[in-house]
Amino acid sequence: MSLIDTAESNSSAALMASVKSYLMGFVLSVVLTAIPFWAVITHHFDKPVTLGLVLVTAVIQIVVHLKYFLHLDFSKEGKLNTFSFLFTALIIVMVVGLSVWIIYAANDLMM
């Protein structure tokens, strides 16, 4: 087996692993989208239970998207990307949260 054949088999294996990852993420996303739709359309549960189900599946779907589509993990290669994403998310949450706090405080002072 030559070096070219080895490189082609490695790239082929990497491509198959990537396709498998995307397909798994897609299937999980469809299932995690169908469950809340089913719960809301059929009115099978009470409203608080349905709301909880929607919120839980939404959080799980966020994790699925981060893992399978953005490939954020704590492996050696993905650690920098993961920490960059977490830092960015923290800054966004702080800016939005503190802006809402300031707006409500200003509204209280105006009343």
Side-chain angles (χ1 to χ4, degrees):
M1 192 188 272
S2 69
L3 184 61
I4 294 173
D5 292 335
T6 306
E8 286 178 5
S9 66
N10 286 342
S11 66
S12 176
L15 179 64
M16 287 302 293
S18 178
V19 168
K20 183 179 176 184
S21 172
Y22 284 122
L23 284 176
M24 181 65 135
F26 177 73
V27 169
L28 286 173
S29 295
V30 168
V31 169
L32 290 170
T33 301
I35 292 171
F37 270 104
W38 170 80
V40 170
I41 289 173
T42 62
H43 302 287
H44 189 71
F45 303 110
D46 295 334
K47 284 188 179 184
V49 175
T50 303
L51 180 63
L53 181 69
V54 169
L55 291 176
V56 166
T57 55
V59 170
I60 294 170
Q61 194 165 56
I62 288 171
V63 172
V64 166
H65 283 232
L66 292 176
K67 179 174 178 15
Y68 290 104
F69 298 123
L70 295 178
H71 303 290
L72 294 181
D73 55 5
F74 288 103
S75 67
K76 189 174 181 180
E77 300 85 24
K79 198 176 282 191
L80 181 62
N81 290 336
T82 302
F83 285 132
S84 298
F85 174 80
L86 291 174
F87 179 72
T88 303
L90 175 69
I91 295 299
I92 290 171
V93 167
M94 286 176 57
V95 166
V96 171
L98 292 174
S99 296
V100 169
W101 183 22
I102 289 169
I103 290 169
Y104 277 114
N107 185 38
D108 286 343
L109 291 174
M110 292 253 186
M111 295 293 172

